[in-house]
Structures are given as structure tokens and as C-alpha cells.
Amino acid sequence: MRIALFVTCVNDLVFPATGQAVVRVLERLGHTVEFPVEQSCCGQMHANSGYRAEALPLVRNFVDTFGRYDAVVAPSGSCVAMVRESYPRLAGPDPELAAAVAELAPRVHELSELLVDVLGVTDVGAAFPHRVTYHPTCHGLRMLRLGDRPLRLLRAVRGLDLVELPGAEECCGFGGTFAVKNADVSAAMLADKCAAVCDTGAAYVAAADNSCLAHIGGGLSRRGRSTPGAPRAVHYAEILASTEEEA
Amino acid sequence: MGTVDRSARDEILARIRAVRPDEPVSVPREYRTGPVAGGTVGEPGEAEAAALDGELIELLVDRLVDYRATVRRCAPQDVPGALAELLGEVPTVVVPPGAPVRWLSAYLGRIRRDGDPEPLTVADLDAPGVAVVTGCAVAIAQTGTLLLDGAPDQGRRLLSLVPDHHLCVVRAGQVVGGVPEALARLADPTRPTTLVSGPSATSDIELDRVEGVHGPRRLDVLVVTD
Amino acid sequence: MTTGTGNIVAPLPFPTAARRELADGQLRANLRRATHTIRDKRLRVVGEVPDWPALRRSGAAIKDDVLARLPELLEQFEAAATAAGATVHWARDATEACTLVTELVQRTGSTEVVKVKSMATQEIGLNEALAEVGIEAVETDLAELIVQLADDTPSHILVPAIHYNRRQIRDIFASRMPGVDLDKLTDDPPALAEAARRHLRAKFLSAKVAISGANFAVAETGTLVVVESEGNGRMCLTLPETLISVVGVEKLLPTFRDLEVFLQLLPRSSTGERMNPYTSLWTGVTPGDGPQTLHIVLVDNGRTETLADPVGRQALRCIRCSACLNVCPVYERVGGHAYGSVYPGPIGAILSPQMTGPDAGANRTLPYASTLCGACFDACPVRIDIPEVLVHLRQRGVDARRGRPSAERTAMRALAWTMRDRRRYAAALRAARRGAAPLRLVTGARGQVRRLPWPLSAWTASRDAPLPAGRTFRDWWAGRDRTGGEGTGGDRG
Ligand code: SF4
């Protein structure tokens, strides 16, 4: 099976460790991962802010780049949701593009979908001896319906103490440009999410999306400046990549 | 009043015609319309139907109690006794024109029948110590709902509204599983119809339910089974 | 096309109004408590219904069918209602509807009317219009009564006084309710309900004219339906001589049977009950039972404008259950007043700007009042894809302003231009990484930035920002390719 990694633009620039973690996990399981360098951004911010015309070339680029692979994996729930849920809508008026999107979209997976559904694994041989809580993110929860896939993967990690996050299903307040356009409301939502995370006593809060994590992590880090020991935000792929030696 | 302005009507209709979607829509109806018991879906065989009736009544009682209605069960011959007991010290009982005389044969207080000889006034109904006894058209087990459609044993709408205490007699054969069966049973949907689920209540204070606002604050239901 | 008018225009941009509301800690505590109570209840009673997904699909399809056949169904409704003894009137907008109703009341000679809670009459500003000609409108729904006594505006579709807690309600009753018995008035909800009962009883029993809305209007039979809890609706619909019902044109259902879907969807979605305490159905007038004069006012007020948009028209399926408000994390923080319209929350964010057109007041800011978290779509009993419509309205706004200079569009264009070419993209990544290098020296172990220049200062006002990494993923990959894959390790963040 030819698995291509769509690392996503934010991860490429700001969180390369997440992309590296995906590669390590899949290679450890005996798979070969390819990274087509033509890839860039899925166009989510453009499309969600109402810039369809600006998003369309990015849709085309995505389809051209990944069309030839058996499976595409991305460590980002929102980018996968963009491809699977919004691409058909954006491509709609262009029948050729719409057909290409319809053909490709079912093969684009969030990491936990690839691992659990396509490759049939829940134990990826990881070790991470820390208390962790998991924020499911809106895209993972309500658009991709990831369900307990990430939790099953995390529960199989040796040494990991998974604690439930109260109000887990509530949005963290990121919402792309919402965080800037409605900064006050976003901050109010973030404060509640950070409080819930801190209340769990976890050392790490994990999620399937680095954009939400940057938001939550930024809030926790700001809190941590006054109260040291605040939990840290980490992509769950990085937990899955950790092994005994590093632990 | 024959002074209705047609221009607004014609303009609105024309506007809608200009912009409405042109695709016809087909409506799927994959939801449950048949018998239901204990929340499970399925068409019962004949053998199960009798058991189901029993279950429906259990469900109805459970749901009514959940809504803080007082529920009693009795056999057909015990209706007068059961009603008299539920009414207790109530001095005056109002009944619709077609309520069976037998219902209140064991009740010792004053009985006023609507329309006999005159229709009762709002003041009559609003007087302290007045209760009303009605039948119903159909009852929904799943939701604990009584449907009143103005048939002779139910009467005008205000009869079951103004008095502070409403007793409703439900026969076993009137109990159905869900909303679809109940609406299908209404003889004439254009008659004024009221669905009653428990005593009057409100969720307007902190979105939590409190019983007892403008409608009857006490609802008693007598379920008559064989 | 005439756009909608009335109380559906936000006077302030949403972010500004939201900031004002966020400052009220009591408000946030009240909203949090109420919305969380109702969320749990709704989930419980919806979970009880095994065919809920099928009911939602049918509900959505029935409403879509109504929109597709609206002219025919309206004519059918008018004919059936008229045959049953009602008089049907039509109003293009809020002003026309208010004038119509005002004249109808004046003809009865009454100077007081009792009202059943109705979104349509709030939308058109009927109480204000009646007051102008000296007619007092008495709101009889408990929450409406609270809002009216407090001289406030509603903040929720279902529970207009959701922003008050029991203590505040007690204080409003104590100071504003004529003749209230202060000795018996505590902040216990049953005591508050009892006070409302006493206050309104005489009004119900003496009122000559009532005004209602309708949750549903059945085309086949001409039947109107009001779904309520307290019995105030039954009082208004039964005791007065004249009843005037103000109904949005989209409230139709084709057949009586369709109620079997909506009488399941609505109560469970709105108050989280299996069934609301009272539902009234009436068709025209019935001799000897209820009002003997019935006027029905069918109102457009921007609904046609909404119908014209193929994506946005799904908002007209709305049955005003308020589930989307109750689950919305933004609504929960700011409350209904921030939306500046009688339709707040997610549905308001897509309905108000469509009804009025985007240029009314600050309505164009409403589609941005969402993180697109999707909770509203999940909860909506008629499957309105609110996030889809929000994005669509943002796009309409962007498209309408093409050709006008905008910093945001310039940035979006530049970003898209960079991103669709791999060399440009790689170069931009390198530049961003280099630009971040000096910052990295001063940010310390966490690699987080405390303050960024505008417009990203909005981000760093309340959270730290992450820095571009020392090496992009593609650089790492390229290096790894050269050294033969395995053994290059990773840059653990
Ligand atoms: S949009 Fe849907 S959830 Fe919101 S009020 Fe309308 S019907 Fe209810």
C-alpha cells in the first residue's frame, strides 16, 4: 500500500515533530511512507473565511498531488474534514474537479482512522509514562466522528494514565480566524477549556489537531507563567511515537 | 370583514414563485408508526399484542407519574368508587354534557353538567373547590399524553382548563404507543384538540421544570383496565 | 424584493456587543447553569427515541417540500382556514403586519390584549406598535412577563428571560409586579410561578382579544398549532372573543399527518421533555367553543429574500426549538443580547442577516460569530447545516465586496498564491523560520511568544503563540532522504 503523508502547512512550519512522529509510528509498524513535496495547504482558512476563489487552486493542487496514492494520512482532524466534507462543496461547480475529489476523498484519513480502520492496529508499541487527558476537537468529534479511536490508541500506550476531560465535547474557542475576529469570546472559551484541563491533574493534554493545541497550549503556557506546572499540549501522534528508550 | 387587501397577498405569492426551489422533494418516512413498547421498535405478532397492551399501560403510567400526575388503576365496575376516592372532599364537580352518569354515582358532592340547563360560565369554573372530570379521545404511552378532542365526554376546551383540578378517565383500549398512532386515531382533526401531558408546568426559571402555573395544577388519571 | 424589518437588526458589531456581555459575570454564570441543565435533559430524552435520525430526516424533508410548494400550500391553507371561519390577511413586512394587527384590535374597541409568546410578533415589534396607539399588550408567558416587567428585551427564543436567575426574578417581581404579595414571594420557583398565576388570572378571565403566533399551520386542514407549557396559551386561545394569530409564511406543514413528526421533534429538542404539557390545535372557529372571531396574519418580512438563496434557504426549516442556542459555546458565553436580534445564537446568525439583507445594521458581522464547531447542526431537529450556511454567508459577503480594497483579502490572496506553488511555499517557509530565529532566542524553554504585532496581537492578548520550528518538516524530510531514511531521529517538540 502506498501511504502518502499530508503533513499540513501548519505542521510543516510550526510543528514538524508531529509529522516526524507519524512517519516513525508508521515505519515502526513496517509501512513505507512517502512525502510528496508538491503538497502545501488544504485551503481551510480560505474556505471557512469565505474565500472560495482563493481556496480552489489549493483544492486542485491537493488532488493533483495525492490522487495517485492508496491512502493519504494527515495528523490533523480539521484538514481531513476539510478534504472530506468541504472539498465536494467547493469543487461542485467544476464537474471534473468534483469527480476527482469524490474519487480521492474516501482515501484521505486522519491518523487514528488509518491506524484503527485501515491498518487494524490499536497497539503501536509506544510507551509514555505520564498522566494524559484528551481533547477530542470539534472536527474529530462531529465531522469525522473519530469516536474513541484516538482513545483506544492512547489506552494501549504503556505507562500512560488516561484521565477523562470534563466537558470534553465543548469547543476550545479556536475556530481559525474566529480567534482573532472574536478574540474576547474565544478567550472566554479558552479560559474554561484550560481550567477543565488543569482540573484533571494531567501533565499533558493531547489532541488530533495542532491548531487547537496551539490555542490551548498558548492558554496553558500563559497560565503557566503565573502557576508553574500547567499541563503541556501535545499532538497524540507524538505520544504514539514515544518508545521505552525515550520514556 | 371583507376588506382584506389582496395586493400584499398577490405580491408575496408572486415573489415566492419567482425564487422557490424548483426540484420536487420526496419525503422519506422511515420512522416508527406502528406499536411500540418499552422504547423498542417492531411490529408485534398477534400473540405479542396482548402482552404489548399490558406493557403500554405500564409505560403510560410510568410517564404520567414522571410528570407528577396522580395515577390510579381500576376495573370498569370500580370506576365510580375510584373517582369518588380521588375527588375526596372536593365540594363541586363539573362534567361535560356526555360524561357517563355512572362515573359520579358514588360521589356525594355537587355535580354540575355543562349545558344542563345552561352552559357553565368562566366564573362557575373558576370558583374555588371546583374539579372537572372528563374522558379522553386517546392516550400516548410513550409520552404520557392525553388527547382531548371535544367529544361529548370531554366537552368544551375551557372545561378542562379553568378548574384547578382535572381528573381524566382513560380506557385501556384508548392507549396507543406513540404520537403517530394517536394522531391517526383522531376522528376529526379539525375539531379543537388539546394534548395534555401532566399538570401545567414551566421551564422558564433557569430552564428547570416547575409544576403549577395557569392550567390545572392537579392532574389525576384513572386508567380503566379489565 | 422587500427585505425584512423589525427587531432583527443588530445595532452593534457582534464582537463589540459580545465584549459588553462578557463583562457580566452573573450573566455568564446564569447562562452556563441554564444551558447545561437543558443540554443534559435534551440528550436524555433524545437518546430514548430509537428512530430519532429517521425523524430528523423526515422533518427536514417535509420542510424542504413546504419551501418547494410554498405558493400552492399557502393558497390551500388560506382556503381551508377561510372555509372554517377564519379571515386570512397577508403582510409584506413588519410595518405592514403591525398596522394590520393594530387595526384589527382597534376595531374590537379593546385597549388591552393578552399575548401568547410568539417569535413572529417579537420580530415585527408588535407590542411597541400597539403601545403607540394606546393598546396595552400583556405578555402571559412567564419568561416574557419577566422580561416585560423588567423593561428588558428577550435573550433566548424559548426562554426569553434565561439571563436572569431565580433571585433576580424575585427582585423584578417584588419591585414591578402590581399587587404582588411580598410575604409569600420567595425565590423558590414554585412561589414565583404562583405569583405569576395570581397576577395574570384576572386578565385571562376578562380579556376580549388575544394575540398568538403558531408553531405550525397545516395547509390541508387550515389548522393552527401552539405548543406550550404553562397553560397561558390555552387561556389565550380559548377564553377571549377574538383571536389574532400572526404566522410566518414558512410555518406551514402540508398535511395533518406531518404533525406526527414535529410533535416528536419539537418538545424533545426544546424543553428536553418527552412532550410539552399543552399543545392546542384549532381550525377556524368552532361554535360554542373558543373565540368566535379568528384572524390569521401571514407574514413574509424577509422570508422570501431568504428563500432566494439556494444554500441559505434551509434556515427556513427552523421550528424555533432553540436547541442550537442551548448547545452553542458562543451563545453560552455571551447570551442573546449580543446578537442584537430577537433571533440569537446560531440560527440567528444565519437568519437575521438573510432576512434583512447583509447591509442592515451590523448584521454582516453575525456569520462570524461562530467557531464552526458543529454542535448546532448535531442538535438541530430539522438538520439545518448551520456551519455550512455560516461559511456560505461569509463567502457571499466576501464576494459582494470583491474589487474593493481589503487587507484581509490581500493577505488571503497572497497566502493562496504562495501555497499553491511548491517553490514559493518552500521559500516562504524558510523565510518564516529565519524570521523567527531571533525570537526563539528570547522565548525560553517553552518556545512560546508572549506578544505579537497587530493583527496577531488579538491572539497574544490572552494566549502565547507558538514559534516556527528550527527546521521545517520538509527540510527534515529532505535531509533524511539524503542520509537514507532511518536513523535521522526526529525533532521532538
Ligand atoms: S435552527 Fe434547528 S436547532 Fe436551532 S432553533 Fe431552529 S430548529 Fe431548533
Side-chain angles (χ1 to χ4, degrees), chain C residues 315-493:
Chain C
L316 295 175
R317 288 183 201 149
C318 177
I319 55 173
R320 311 281 189 262
C321 73
S322 76
C324 59
L325 281 63
N326 297 335
V327 299
C328 177
V330 174
Y331 177 87
E332 176 192 335
R333 303 302 183 306
V334 302
H337 292 151
Y339 298 80
S341 158
V342 297
Y343 301 116
I347 182 60
I350 62 170
L351 199 55
S352 311
Q354 292 202 88
M355 289 171 73
T356 62
D359 295 327
N363 277 7
R364 72 166 71 250
T365 63
L366 293 176
Y368 294 91
S370 166
T371 63
L372 308 180
C373 84
C376 47
F377 179 33
D378 261 18
C380 177
V382 284
R383 296 179 54 92
I384 301 174
D385 191 341
I386 296 178
E388 178 191 14
V389 181
L390 288 166
V391 169
H392 171 75
L393 294 177
R394 292 175 187 182
Q395 188 181 310
R396 251 174 59 177
V398 168
D399 290 346
R401 274 163 295 155
R402 277 202 190 273
R404 268 187 265 164
S406 138
E408 184 179 280
R409 179 164 335 95
T410 309
M412 288 285 180
R413 275 215 188 119
L415 210 55
W417 180 81
T418 311
M419 297 252 188
R420 67 183 186 236
D421 178 275
R422 105 174 135 102
R423 274 175 308 274
R424 286 199 291 261
Y425 177 56
L429 288 187
R430 272 195 302 277
R433 185 174 56 72
R434 267 200 310 274
L439 277 174
R440 201 168 305 109
L441 288 174
V442 297
T443 53
R446 282 181 186 258
Q448 297 267 352
V449 194
R450 197 143 189 215
R451 214 165 342 202
L452 286 172
W454 188 88
L456 291 176
S457 52
W459 176 278
T460 49
S462 45
R463 44 186 120 43
D464 294 344
L467 266 184
R471 186 157 60 142
T472 64
F473 179 85
R474 61 184 60 227
D475 286 347
W476 172 81
W477 181 271
R480 181 178 184 269
D481 261 2
R482 272 196 298 281
T483 57
E486 286 303 321
T488 49
D491 303 344
R492 276 294 305 280

Side-chain angles (χ1 to χ4, degrees), chain A residues 215-230:
Chain A
H215 171 74
I216 298 173
L220 290 169
S221 153
R222 179 63 56 85
R223 245 174 121 99
R225 288 175 198 271
S226 48
T227 43

